[in-house]
Amino acid sequence: MIALIVIAVVVVLLILWAVSTYNGLVKLRNLVQEAWRQIDVELKRRHDLIPNLVETVKGYAAHERGTLEDVMKARSAAMAGGQGPAAAAQSENVLTQALGRLIAVAEAYPDLKANQNFLSLQQELSSTEDRIAAGRRYYNANVRELNTKVETVPSNIFASMFHITREEYFEAEEAARTAPTVSFPGTDGTTPAPSTPQD
């Protein structure tokens, strides 16, 4: 009789542990999905700001057509549907680099830099970038936790049984983590040294 009670207790404990493990995996998967939706909202806000920024720059620097077109192409690629987090990160990195070049172009136009609309858009874009960075950290932390559970014993057994799989990270490439530095001759308040003729 005691043996039956012990077996029943063990079975109940195993069932409770299995339910707890499964619920933990589902909770983590839902957290990852929720975190991605938050990033997606911020990315859409960023994409919506860019046309206004480009139009403002165009008003002062229309001949910078190549840079303006690069930004809009990168925006279109970033807005393409059906991208997973890794592909979206790559598209966003290209867009970030194009935006960096656009902001660098603005440095050469004092009237543009002083334009209230441009300053407001730049500030809003910067604030959006901060929220994307915070969302990226939160999302990647949840992905790391889910992936660890999916890959480690014994939770990997339940993950496999219920088709809960690894998720992709949303990461900035090393080159995109810092804005490109571009300097224009004479814009830093110094005058380039005259070249001396060679004999």
Side-chain angles (χ1 to χ4, degrees):
M1 190 68 176
I2 293 174
L4 286 174
I5 291 171
V6 169
I7 290 170
V9 167
V10 168
V11 168
V12 167
L13 288 174
L14 282 172
I15 290 170
L16 289 174
W17 171 79
V19 168
S20 173
T21 302
Y22 171 74
N23 288 343
L25 286 166
V26 169
K27 179 182 176 184
L28 281 172
R29 183 179 62 189
N30 290 342
L31 281 172
V32 167
Q33 291 170 352
E34 176 193 353
W36 178 248
R37 282 191 291 273
Q38 289 174 356
I39 290 174
D40 196 43
V41 166
E42 296 303 330
L43 292 177
K44 283 186 172 76
R45 179 177 287 123
R46 180 193 204 205
H47 299 156
D48 290 344
L49 287 170
I50 289 170
N52 293 332
L53 189 66
V54 166
E55 284 302 313
T56 303
V57 173
K58 193 186 292 183
Y60 289 85
H63 62 282
E64 302 282 357
R65 184 180 304 168
T67 304
L68 298 172
E69 287 176 357
D70 286 349
V71 171
M72 293 310 288
K73 279 186 211 167
R75 175 183 179 263
S76 294
M79 290 178 68
Q83 295 186 82
Q90 189 173 6
S91 297
E92 292 298 329
N93 289 337
V94 172
L95 179 55
T96 298
Q97 291 169 2
L99 280 171
R101 290 190 295 274
L102 180 68
I103 299 301
V105 161
E107 292 295 316
Y109 298 90
D111 289 346
L112 173 59
K113 285 197 318 183
N115 178 283
Q116 194 56 47
N117 191 37
F118 177 75
L119 291 172
S120 173
L121 286 166
Q122 198 174 10
Q123 185 175 8
E124 200 169 339
L125 189 62
S126 176
S127 173
T128 301
E129 297 288 353
D130 289 343
R131 288 194 296 270
I132 290 170
R136 176 187 286 121
R137 286 191 295 274
Y138 177 68
Y139 171 81
N140 285 339
N142 283 309
V143 167
R144 183 179 62 246
E145 194 172 343
L146 175 64
N147 289 352
T148 300
K149 293 276 188 190
V150 166
E151 292 174 351
T152 55
V153 175
S155 55
N156 64 339
I157 297 165
F158 293 97
S160 177
M161 282 171 54
F162 295 104
H163 307 291
I164 298 173
T165 57
R166 284 176 49 84
E167 293 289 343
E168 296 178 322
Y169 287 100
F170 182 69
E171 294 182 313
E173 291 175 5
E174 204 57 47
R177 289 176 200 240
T178 55
T181 304
V182 179
S183 64
F184 296 94
T187 58
D188 59 355
T190 62
T191 317
S195 57
T196 54
Q198 300 293 323
D199 293 334

